[in-house]
Amino acid sequence: MRVLVVEDEKRLAAGLRTGLEAEGFAVDVALDGTDGLWMAREHSYDAIVLDIMLPGVNGYRVCSTLRDEGIWTPILMLTAKDGEWDEVEALDTGADDYLTKPFSYAILVARLRALMRRGAAERPAVLEAGDLRLDPAAKRAWRGDTELDLTARELALAEFLLRRKGDIVSKRDILDHVWDYDFEGDPNIVEVYIRHLRNKLDRPFGRASIVTMRGAGYRLAADGG
Ligand code: CA
């Protein structure tokens, strides 16, 4: 799941990146409202963490502009405790939720996951394809009754495929959502991780749920079979 953080306080932005990446999110950071707006338009994010007091365009403007343009990415606004800005106003501009600084990462992550579930597309708490199940919050996955031993990256890849089950996803889509969009390593890393996943959630169970679509990418068979 890919998150955009728009925050001008560099230390907080760096901390958010580290904290959210540790939770398995792919994270992009914008340090002002103008960049944030541009990135939110140019890339598809699963959620946006948006500070209100920003140089350039402030958070309210970023939020209301995106909504005016029909971009409904779930937005969690960060508000300062000094009360200069009204939190209710954050919701009025089209934010989905707000969090007052300082906040704990645990709460931020829980709120983000809740927003992703509530967002425009159907986002159930536990993702399923046939007898393959994955609980993103608990970071656990099962094939039937057997719990799968997946690394954080394998889990993130499985989560992405499950959220797009039935759809063809390109390697680029996968890199963008499971790695960062500015990932500049070898894109064949995707093939390596697809192989790992197949060896864990398909082969031992005699399944072939991750289908290679030649020249296009991959598709998780919706029936899991
Ligand atoms: Ca700020």
Side-chain angles (χ1 to χ4, degrees), residues 128-130 160-167 219-223:
E128 293 183 337
F160 182 66
L161 292 173
L162 274 160
R163 288 188 189 279
R164 303 289 181 92
K165 76 175 171 186
D167 295 342
R219 189 172 66 85
L220 185 73
D223 62 0

Side-chain angles (χ1 to χ4, degrees), residues 32-139:
D32 63 54
T34 315
D35 274 358
L37 197 50
W38 182 85
M39 289 168 81
R41 284 174 177 142
E42 288 297 303
H43 307 288
S44 84
Y45 291 98
D46 300 291
I48 299 172
V49 177
L50 179 62
D51 187 30
I52 290 177
M53 294 289 278
L54 291 167
V57 186
N58 74 39
Y60 290 135
R61 285 282 302 283
V62 171
C63 187
S64 60
T65 304
L66 290 174
R67 295 320 188 215
D68 286 347
E69 292 176 4
I71 297 169
W72 294 99
T73 310
I75 292 177
L76 175 70
M77 273 209 186
L78 301 180
T79 66
K81 214 176 182 153
D82 59 19
E84 188 186 343
W85 298 84
D86 186 0
E87 283 142 2
V88 176
E89 215 172 321
L91 302 180
D92 286 347
T93 59
D96 298 275
D97 201 352
Y98 62 84
L99 208 51
T100 306
K101 295 179 183 176
F103 50 83
S104 82
Y105 280 120
I107 290 173
L108 176 74
V109 168
R111 297 279 192 91
L112 278 177
R113 290 203 184 279
L115 283 187
M116 288 173 177
R117 283 200 295 274
R118 269 181 7 213
E122 191 189 347
R123 294 183 174 102
V126 174
L127 306 165
E128 293 183 337
D131 64 351
L132 177 65
R133 286 180 299 128
L134 187 149
D135 182 338
K139 299 186 189 310

Side-chain angles (χ1 to χ4, degrees), residues 183-216:
F183 174 81
E184 281 174 359
D186 184 350
N188 290 324
I189 187 96
V190 173
E191 286 170 36
V192 172
Y193 274 85
I194 289 282
R195 195 158 62 236
H196 290 173
L197 268 192
R198 282 176 168 149
N199 284 335
K200 291 189 177 182
L201 56 83
D202 274 347
R203 271 203 190 111
F205 305 92
R207 307 301 176 85
S209 68
I210 305 173
V211 182
T212 301
M213 310 301 289
R214 200 163 288 280

